Amino acid sequence: MIAAAYFTIALLIGAAAALVVVILILLLLQNLARIQRSVDGLLEIAGKVGANTANIPQLEATAPVLALIVDEAIVQDGYMNALTDGFGGR
């Protein structure tokens, strides 16, 4: 009689432990699915960032061109000043 009670208690404790393990495994699987979705989103964004940054080396050629534009703007400003000097600065 007492052995049967102990056996029943042991079965209940084992069932409770198994239930806790099942719940923890389900939570782990949910978190893994959430992590996988995040990684998939990051990989998609990483591809877009890679595409956006692929042309960065070409920016090295921009500085010399900008210097030429500034030089030409100064020349044009001088022409405009020469044209407007006789008209009261307008």
Side-chain angles (χ1 to χ4, degrees):
M1 191 85 160
I2 293 176
Y6 286 143
F7 182 72
T8 303
I9 292 172
L11 281 177
L12 290 175
I13 291 173
L19 182 63
V20 168
V21 168
V22 167
I23 290 171
L24 290 174
I25 288 174
L26 289 174
L27 289 173
L28 176 65
L29 290 174
Q30 284 179 343
N31 284 331
L32 288 175
R34 188 178 306 132
I35 290 169
Q36 183 64 42
R37 286 191 303 269
S38 295
V39 168
D40 290 342
L42 287 174
L43 288 175
E44 179 183 339
I45 291 171
K48 292 177 182 178
V49 169
N52 287 341
T53 58
N55 297 325
I56 286 179
Q58 294 175 354
L59 290 176
E60 292 177 11
T62 305
V65 173
L66 290 177
L68 293 173
I69 292 171
V70 169
D71 292 343
E72 183 61 26
I74 292 170
V75 170
Q76 294 299 322
D77 185 53
Y79 290 151
M80 294 304 291
N81 286 337
L83 289 174
T84 58
D85 283 345
F87 296 103
R90 293 187 226 159

